[in-house]
């Protein structure tokens, strides 16, 4: 494998990994602040971290209302 091909492969793996993490975070959304509201019964309906992160959630809700 040449060095250029190695760099392309490594970059592709990093992009795929970053996209997978972003998709997983949007799907699970434990705090409930994602702009995409996906609710799957029994999987991500409840937001268990919402009450633990009031400082984040309240700022996001105020920002969303004022827009």
């Amino acid at each position: 494998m040449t060095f250029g091909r190695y760099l392309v492969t490594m970059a592709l793996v990093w992009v795929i990994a970053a996209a997978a993490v972003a998709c997983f975070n949007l799907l699970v959304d434990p705090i409930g602040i994602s702009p995409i509201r996906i609710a799957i019964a029994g999987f991500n309906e409840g937001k268990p971290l919402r009450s633990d992160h009031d400082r984040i959630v309240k700022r996001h809700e105020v920002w969303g209302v004022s827009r």
Side-chain angles (χ1 to χ4, degrees), residues 12-31:
L12 185 62
V13 168
W14 278 99
V15 167
I16 291 171
V21 168
C23 289
F24 182 76
N25 285 337
L26 286 174
L27 181 64
V28 173
D29 189 25
I31 300 175

Side-chain angles (χ1 to χ4, degrees), residues 19-57:
V21 168
C23 289
F24 182 76
N25 285 337
L26 286 174
L27 181 64
V28 173
D29 189 25
I31 300 175
I33 60 173
S34 173
I36 302 171
R37 305 284 179 173
I38 301 172
I40 300 171
F43 179 67
N44 66 351
E45 283 180 321
K47 304 300 180 192
L49 295 179
R50 191 168 181 91
S51 61
D52 295 340
H53 293 84
D54 283 337
R55 293 180 296 172
I56 297 170
V57 173

